[in-house]
Amino acid sequence: MWVIKLGGSLLGSPELNIWLDTIARHGDGKVVIVPGGGMFADAVRDAQTVCGLDDATAHRMAVMAMDQYGVLMNGLCPRLVTARSELEIAERGWQHRGIIWMPSDMVCADENVPMNWGITSDSLAAYLAAKLNAEHLILVKSSRPEADQQVSLEKLTKEGFVDTGFGDHIAGRDFNTWVVGRQDCVAFSEGFNDADLARVGLPVRCSWN
């Protein structure tokens, strides 16, 4: 299983449509999209500022914002299917479909997930990858960090590529973590395989140095 997080920064870009189309054609029940929050999460931040909402309420709203982005993705590519639970993901997998995770049901019901802005869609993508015993977690960013053969967790965190809680969600996990640029969608035009991922992906070193 591959978990691919498509961030809000891709919204409105042609690459987003290419990613969705590629996953619809080649997902085969083995690729799950985690939607970012994008402008929908930004609206929650604005509402929190205006109304003085507590972080727990804003967290629940921000996770629901990810659902909204997921609905948008499904509207852009109806060949994809949505899933709200591990069971639904398994069922969609048996149907050999490309899958969009709608996270609010699972995340809001899990008391172990911190309810604050330190946990964003990056950490929740890692959360899902652990739940599914995924092989790869791939973060698709509007631009890749500058690095040669791999990038450290410290660099990703300090430069704002991931949230501050991300390291806690990938430490000690069996899945491999990668960062790719939004333009790297073309690498998977013939399907999702380890060779192409290794060619374009930047591996994440789970260390603070």
Side-chain angles (χ1 to χ4, degrees), residues 60-73:
R60 290 193 293 272
M61 293 174 65
V63 176
M64 292 176 186
M66 293 171 62
D67 285 357
Q68 293 299 308
Y69 194 7
V71 171
L72 183 151
M73 290 177 175

Side-chain angles (χ1 to χ4, degrees), residues 28-107:
D28 195 32
K30 299 176 182 178
V31 177
V32 181
I33 298 169
V34 175
M39 64 173 63
F40 307 105
D42 290 341
V44 175
R45 293 178 188 272
D46 292 342
Q48 184 178 26
T49 300
V50 171
C51 301
L53 296 171
D54 61 273
D55 278 352
T57 300
H59 166 83
R60 290 193 293 272
M61 293 174 65
V63 176
M64 292 176 186
M66 293 171 62
D67 285 357
Q68 293 299 308
Y69 194 7
V71 171
L72 183 151
M73 290 177 175
N74 200 198
L76 291 174
C77 188
R79 290 170 295 157
L80 295 167
V81 292
T82 61
R84 292 185 171 273
S85 66
E86 292 176 71
L87 177 58
E88 286 190 358
I89 290 172
E91 289 175 342
R92 305 301 186 263
W94 299 333
Q95 296 166 4
H96 299 280
R97 304 293 294 274
I99 304 163
I100 304 169
W101 182 46
M102 310 291 271
S104 63
D105 285 0
M106 285 178 61
V107 173

